[in-house]
Amino acid sequence: MREVAFIKQNKEKWLSFEKAIVNNDFDNPDELASQYIHVINDLAYAQTYYPKSKVIAYLNQLSANAYQKIYKTKSTDTNRIVSFWKTEVPLICYQYRKFIHIAFIIFAAFTFIGAISAANDGEFVRSVLGDDYVNMSLENIEAGDPVAVYKSGSNWGSFIGITINNLRVGIIAFVLGVFLGIGTLYIMFNNCIMLGSFQYFFYEKGVFWESIRGIWIHGAMEIFAIVIECAAGLILGASILFPATHSRYTSFKIGAKTGIKILISTFPFTFAAGFLEGFITRYSNIMPHWLSVAIILITLGIISYYYLIYPFKVQKQITQTPILSPTHI
């Protein structure tokens, strides 16, 4: 069968199924399972006979959405919270992986701009971070402890205050996505400019390695989580700009719901980053180098795996298990 004929033959069925998923318009779980099987079979057919077709991406997304819906309607004792982080969020991250990749590209670009600006303008760091913070950092460097700022306050006080602030930044970054994503980009720009100029400041003063050991013990998870939260904001903005086959309002509801799930998924990592900053980072200058490096690599590895690698494994599992009988619902 020619690809055009294949699409024409099944288009109405796919669109009807997509609309039913969005509106939760299913009479019973058996109907959902039956239509899911049809979509998976169509996907397998397209992958075999039209390997370079864009219809494969569409059917992949449709099957992922259906799979999420099936997990929601399973009448088993599966823990809803576990399934949220184990299956639902990874599938969403796979479906919207382009937004995550774009967020990281923008993050790298803005951070680079911050570093270059600091390198070419001696007053740039002060204009971004403020005179008080820069003067305090200079005093700490002269005292032999460049990241002594993280030792101020009590362990619990720092942990709670830092965590609340990071949660606030992430929520704002997402919510401002409602302004067509521009608000989210603004938050990214501000934070990345500060990060880039901050790191260059330490490089210029000859304590770059000491700053890496201190900042990134908690920063690996903290900054990674903010990038993911900004990706959620970009999804929200794109849902308004590009409604595709949906009405703009329906597209916005889908984007908001999807973004909120991604946002919530970052909270455990934000709490972990706050704990590390409150209880561990303050000892970075006295702990062995191998230990600080190990903490950075482990924390970065965990969050990177969850958002960048694990979603592909979950999606692959779906495509390799094409049939769900009604008894599994």
Side-chain angles (χ1 to χ4, degrees):
M1 182 187 301
R2 295 173 64 88
E3 182 182 353
V4 175
F6 172 71
I7 294 174
K8 185 177 180 180
Q9 176 179 313
N10 295 287
K11 182 178 179 179
E12 291 301 322
K13 176 182 66 177
W14 298 335
L15 292 177
S16 176
F17 187 41
E18 182 181 9
K19 183 178 180 181
I21 290 175
V22 172
N23 297 324
N24 199 26
D25 185 21
F26 292 98
D27 294 332
N28 56 67
D30 290 351
E31 180 187 357
L32 173 59
S34 176
Q35 293 196 40
Y36 172 73
I37 293 170
H38 284 299
V39 170
I40 286 296
N41 289 337
D42 290 340
L43 173 60
Y45 187 90
Q47 288 173 329
T48 301
Y49 294 102
Y50 321 115
K52 297 181 180 180
S53 174
K54 292 182 179 180
V55 75
I56 293 176
Y58 171 76
L59 292 175
N60 247 323
Q61 178 177 329
L62 187 58
S63 63
N65 289 341
Y67 192 78
Q68 291 179 47
K69 189 70 66 174
I70 288 172
Y71 260 76
K72 289 179 183 179
T73 56
K74 286 175 67 175
S75 56
T76 66
D77 294 330
T78 301
N79 190 306
R80 178 69 182 88
I81 296 177
V82 172
S83 67
F84 175 77
W85 268 278
K86 184 179 179 181
T87 305
E88 190 170 352
V89 170
L91 284 174
I92 291 174
C93 289
Y94 177 85
Q95 181 179 342
Y96 292 92
R97 61 192 181 280
K98 289 184 179 179
F99 288 90
I100 294 177
H101 298 161
I102 290 172
F104 273 104
I105 292 172
I106 295 173
F107 162 78
F110 284 169
T111 303
F112 180 74
I113 290 172
I116 292 297
S117 299
N120 288 279
D121 183 353
E123 295 300 313
F124 183 78
V125 175
R126 289 184 177 274
S127 68
V128 172
L129 300 176
D131 289 333
D132 291 341
Y133 193 87
V134 171
N135 292 336
M136 178 185 64
S137 297
L138 288 172
E139 293 174 2
N140 291 336
I141 291 172
E142 291 177 3
D145 192 359
V147 290
V149 64
Y150 297 113
K151 295 181 179 179
S152 60
S154 65
N155 299 89
W156 279 103
S158 297
F159 164 52
I160 295 172
I162 290 164
T163 300
I164 291 175
N165 179 69
N166 290 340
L167 290 173
R168 181 183 62 83
V169 171
I171 292 171
I172 292 174
F174 167 67
V175 172
L176 290 184
V178 75
F179 297 107
L180 308 182
I182 297 174
T184 297
L185 292 175
Y186 175 77
I187 296 296
M188 284 192 76
F189 182 79
N190 280 346
N191 283 275
C192 292
I193 291 296
M194 284 193 290
L195 175 63
S197 60
F198 188 59
Q199 285 286 203
Y200 183 83
F201 170 76
F202 284 111
Y203 169 78
E204 187 179 42
K205 301 304 177 183
V207 289
F208 183 70
W209 170 241
E210 289 81 356
S211 73
I212 290 292
R213 289 180 59 204
I215 296 169
W216 290 93
I217 282 178
H218 61 272
M221 279 191 172
E222 176 185 300
I223 295 172
F224 200 116
I226 290 176
V227 175
I228 298 299
E229 289 155 355
C230 287
L234 295 177
I235 291 171
L236 180 61
S239 70
I240 301 172
L241 283 171
F242 311 108
T245 58
H246 305 291
S247 68
R248 202 171 298 276
Y249 177 65
T250 299
S251 178
F252 170 72
K253 287 197 299 182
I254 295 172
K257 189 175 182 179
T258 298
I260 289 173
K261 289 178 180 179
I262 294 176
L263 174 67
I264 292 173
S265 76
T266 65
F267 289 173
F269 298 106
T270 300
F271 276 100
F275 175 83
L276 289 171
E277 188 168 351
F279 289 88
I280 308 299
T281 298
R282 62 181 61 229
Y283 303 114
S284 63
N285 66 321
I286 61 174
M287 68 173 60
H289 285 205
W290 66 266
L291 181 57
S292 57
V293 172
I295 294 173
I296 294 170
L297 293 179
I298 290 172
T299 54
L300 182 61
I302 290 172
I303 194 168
S304 297
Y305 175 80
Y306 184 74
Y307 285 105
L308 301 179
I309 299 174
Y310 183 60
F312 284 86
K313 292 193 172 185
V314 176
Q315 175 66 20
K316 185 177 180 181
Q317 181 182 3
I318 294 174
T319 57
Q320 289 181 344
T321 312
I323 297 179
L324 289 176
S325 68
T327 57
H328 291 154
I329 302 298

